[in-house]
Amino acid sequence: MIGDLSVFGDAVRFIGDNPSLLWHKTVEHLVLSGAAVGIALLIALPVGLVLGHLRRYSFLAISISNVGRALPTLAVIAIGVVFLPVGFTVVLISLVVLAVPPILTNAYVAVSETDSETVEAARGMGMTETQILRRVELPLATPLLFSGIRTAVVFVVASATIAAIAGGGGLGDVIVNQASYGIEGVIGASMLVCLLAFACDGLVALVQWLVTPKPLRGRRVADTTLVSEPGEAVPSR
Amino acid sequence: MNGLVAQSGPVIPDFGEASDCVQQNRLFCPDWVRDNWSEVLQPALVQHIELTLIAVAVGFVIAFVLALVAHRMRWFERPVDLVSALLYTIPSLALFQLLVPITGLTVTTVEVALVSYTLLILFRNILTGLRSVPPDVLEAARGMGMSRRQILRRVELPLALPAIMAGVRIATVSTVALATVAAFVIPQGLGRPIFLALRQFFNTELIVASALAVGLALAADGLLVLLQRALTPWTRVSAGR
């Protein structure tokens, strides 16, 4: 069953032999992923945070993550290609569609599950609703908020790879084009895209550590779209 | 610049008797769906279900054993968590391709990749469920003279069932979505018609195959919700907040 493993060595050599091609593709990949996550944050964060603060429309916030999970990258891109010409734009829109659900749902849950007595106390101290959201709920929500962002980033980097078949560019271009780059190119680019995913995940983790208030730093919180908390189990939703 | 779909203009499959709708590549041609259901779409759908079922079943067995061990020995949680999170971070297309030199262009390659993506979700949910049992309940069970094994089977597992089922739901739906990527490696699943239609920009096939993939994921989700309600009738009482 085990095939020829020397291809992994060839792949490393391919990476060494084609630094400028791969660098160019990596930058493309990063620009595409960064733009998608950036736009998704601009859409999902305000909506998630405000709805979470109001503690309303929970059905909407949870349904978005359920539907989002059911969307295959390939299907989203396929539908995009029906209506838009192949290229950067259609891929970017598809990636934004895929990145919004985990960010929105986790932002909603993170804010809406802030201890209600803490919020009451803040209100009693005379804080306005905006102040409560910004200075009480948001800091307490950072760990969960960032789990959602990390899920989205990892998902977007992976989806951007697949998006190469619709002209998105990036390292996926090499992976889906064995005819031009050979199996060593496919494997080499696959290795690089793995490293890129780990690096992006690590980068977000670092940002999370920097912006999380010190007392909350050690706390590990699992993405609510992946792990159900006891008592707050996903099923009843 | 882009490899596979760089041909200019739509190239519509012409089998000699394609309808006007298909030849002009209109948005949606019901006649194409009717003519190709049993040959193209249905087999892809069945393969997709098979790929998903095998992956979730194998993933569940592995994650369940790992979670039971981690439940007994706390130190075991961290390494499993780290490895499964690492696997989860690997982009799907890259993982499929990296497995090809080892296991070839086979179903095994696809299943190994799909299983590895279920592990993080299933392991964390099963463990969360097992840990959610209140200490008083365990104390009472111990007081009644139950052995560790009896406590696990008759107290902890039933109480963990909602969380376990939530994990199975999430893992199943994500696996249905991920299984479309299998088409890059083997000619199976709903990714295959999407893949072929993308080369030709054939609208009907793009829409039908995508809708089937999303529909399958949502249908699986709905079925698992029903199954979970049937298995855990007691949760409905407390859920009625």
Side-chain angles (χ1 to χ4, degrees), chain A residues 1 86 165 220 226 228 230 235, chain B residues 5 81 102 125 132 198 201 228:
Chain A
M1 198 162 86
V86 157
I165 59 163
R220 284 173 56 229
L226 297 181
S228 71
Chain B
V5 286
D81 225 33
I102 303 166
N125 278 289
S132 69
L198 267 174
F201 298 107
Q228 193 231 324

Side-chain angles (χ1 to χ4, degrees), chain A residues 1-3 7-8 69-70 72 75 78 81-82 86 158 165 167 173 176 187 190 193-194 197-198 220 226-228 230 235, chain B residues 1-2 5 27 78 81 86 88-91 94 97-98 101-102 125 128 132 170 173 177 184 198 201 206 210 217 228 241:
Chain A
M1 198 162 86
I2 302 284
V7 69
F8 289 105
R69 195 164 35 232
V81 165
V82 170
V86 157
I165 59 163
D173 257 359
V176 300
I187 301 293
S190 297
V193 92
C194 287
F198 294 141
R220 284 173 56 229
L226 297 181
V227 183
S228 71
Chain B
M1 201 174 96
N2 45 305
V5 286
L27 192 59
R78 206 68 184 116
D81 225 33
L86 202 73
Y88 195 81
T89 310
I90 299 178
Q97 297 292 1
L98 288 172
I102 303 166
N125 278 289
T128 304
S132 69
I170 299 172
V173 175
F184 283 87
L198 267 174
F201 298 107
L206 284 173
S210 301
Q228 193 231 324
R241 293 179 284 159

Side-chain angles (χ1 to χ4, degrees), chain A residues 154 194 197-198, chain B residues 66 80-92 95 99 112-113 115-120 178:
Chain A
V154 168
C194 287
F198 294 141
Chain B
L66 292 174
V80 176
D81 225 33
L82 277 176
V83 172
S84 55
L86 202 73
L87 287 172
Y88 195 81
T89 310
I90 299 178
S92 49
L95 183 54
L99 285 167
V112 170
V115 165
S116 58
Y117 288 118
T118 64
L119 292 180
L120 176 77
L178 274 169

Side-chain angles (χ1 to χ4, degrees), chain B:
Chain B
M1 201 174 96
N2 45 305
L4 289 172
V5 286
Q7 303 104 325
S8 55
V11 186
I12 303 307
D14 181 6
F15 303 111
E17 52 205 64
S19 69
D20 270 3
C21 180
V22 172
Q23 279 182 4
Q24 289 170 27
N25 195 20
R26 295 214 188 101
L27 192 59
F28 188 74
C29 308
D31 59 307
W32 185 88
V33 178
R34 221 179 308 120
D35 294 345
N36 290 275
W37 174 260
S38 57
E39 297 268 312
V40 180
L41 297 169
Q42 196 195 15
L45 182 65
V46 172
Q47 289 157 359
H48 207 95
I49 295 171
E50 283 173 4
L51 289 174
T52 306
L53 283 179
I54 295 173
V56 175
V58 174
F60 184 83
V61 171
I62 297 173
F64 191 73
V65 172
L66 292 174
L68 284 184
V69 176
H71 186 49
R72 285 271 179 271
M73 298 178 279
R74 272 194 165 262
W75 62 266
F76 195 68
E77 180 191 355
R78 206 68 184 116
V80 176
D81 225 33
L82 277 176
V83 172
S84 55
L86 202 73
L87 287 172
Y88 195 81
T89 310
I90 299 178
S92 49
L93 185 54
L95 183 54
F96 282 112
Q97 297 292 1
L98 288 172
L99 285 167
V100 167
I102 303 166
T103 43
L105 297 168
T106 60
V107 180
T108 313
T109 299
V110 170
E111 292 296 355
V112 170
L114 291 180
V115 165
S116 58
Y117 288 118
T118 64
L119 292 180
L120 176 77
I121 297 166
L122 291 170
F123 175 75
R124 282 213 187 141
N125 278 289
I126 296 170
L127 196 59
T128 304
L130 289 173
R131 295 224 172 117
S132 69
V133 179
D136 311 357
V137 175
L138 291 178
E139 206 49 46
R142 244 174 255 133
M144 285 168 66
M146 290 173 104
S147 68
R148 269 190 130 176
R149 201 189 197 131
Q150 284 173 320
I151 293 177
L152 178 69
R153 277 193 41 203
R154 293 170 54 188
V155 179
E156 289 175 312
L157 281 178
L159 287 176
L161 209 52
I164 295 176
M165 286 301 296
V168 172
R169 258 181 82 187
I170 299 172
T172 306
V173 175
S174 347
T175 305
V176 171
L178 274 169
T180 51
V181 183
F184 283 87
V185 177
I186 52 167
Q188 283 194 32
L190 288 164
R192 167 121 177 121
I194 298 179
F195 208 65
L196 295 178
L198 267 174
R199 291 190 190 177
Q200 303 159 330
F201 298 107
F202 179 35
N203 290 333
T204 304
E205 197 174 7
L206 284 173
I207 292 174
V208 174
S210 301
L212 280 175
V214 178
L216 180 63
L218 294 176
D221 200 33
L223 272 178
L224 285 167
V225 171
L226 292 180
L227 177 66
Q228 193 231 324
R229 290 214 179 133
L231 287 177
T232 58
W234 65 89
T235 55
R236 259 172 297 171
V237 183
S238 59
R241 293 179 284 159

Side-chain angles (χ1 to χ4, degrees), chain A:
Chain A
M1 198 162 86
I2 302 284
D4 184 9
L5 296 184
S6 66
V7 69
F8 289 105
D10 297 342
V12 174
R13 223 163 296 125
F14 178 90
I15 297 173
D17 292 344
N18 298 280
S20 68
L21 167 81
L22 293 168
W23 174 248
H24 173 67
K25 296 290 178 196
T26 306
V27 171
E28 261 182 14
H29 206 110
L30 278 174
V31 169
L32 178 62
S33 308
V37 173
I39 296 172
L41 283 171
L42 286 178
I43 298 170
L45 272 188
V47 178
L49 294 177
V50 170
L51 291 186
H53 175 75
L54 298 172
R55 288 166 177 75
R56 287 177 64 190
Y57 308 110
S58 70
F59 179 77
L60 182 79
I62 304 305
S63 303
I64 283 176
S65 89
N66 281 341
V67 174
R69 195 164 35 232
L71 292 179
T73 304
L74 210 52
V76 175
I77 292 169
I79 297 297
V81 165
V82 170
F83 298 102
L84 291 167
V86 157
F88 185 83
T89 316
V90 68
V91 169
L92 182 64
I93 294 173
S94 305
L95 295 183
V96 171
V97 168
L98 293 166
V100 162
I103 301 176
L104 197 155
T105 302
N106 280 293
Y108 177 90
V109 174
V111 172
S112 68
E113 285 185 356
T114 313
D115 184 28
S116 58
E117 288 178 11
T118 312
V119 177
E120 266 323 290
R123 211 165 270 142
M125 285 168 66
M127 286 175 117
T128 65
E129 293 304 306
T130 322
Q131 282 175 325
I132 292 174
L133 179 57
R134 275 190 45 204
R135 293 170 53 189
V136 179
E137 290 172 328
L138 197 55
L140 289 171
T142 23
L144 189 52
L145 200 66
F146 270 91
S147 319
I149 297 175
R150 280 177 78 172
T151 305
V153 166
V154 168
F155 195 39
V156 164
V157 171
S159 296
T161 319
I162 296 168
I165 59 163
L171 286 165
D173 257 359
V174 181
I175 299 180
V176 300
N177 200 349
Q178 189 167 343
S180 306
Y181 301 106
I183 182 70
E184 63 274 18
V186 173
I187 301 293
S190 297
M191 290 170 165
L192 285 179
V193 92
C194 287
L195 292 179
L196 193 65
F198 294 141
C200 291
D201 188 39
L203 186 71
V204 183
L206 181 69
V207 174
Q208 171 178 9
W209 190 82
L210 290 174
V211 303
T212 304
K214 276 202 185 94
L216 295 176
R217 271 184 190 165
R219 197 175 290 180
R220 284 173 56 229
V221 184
D223 182 333
T224 54
T225 62
L226 297 181
V227 183
S228 71
E229 286 301 314
E232 280 297 323
V234 179
S236 59
R237 285 162 181 166

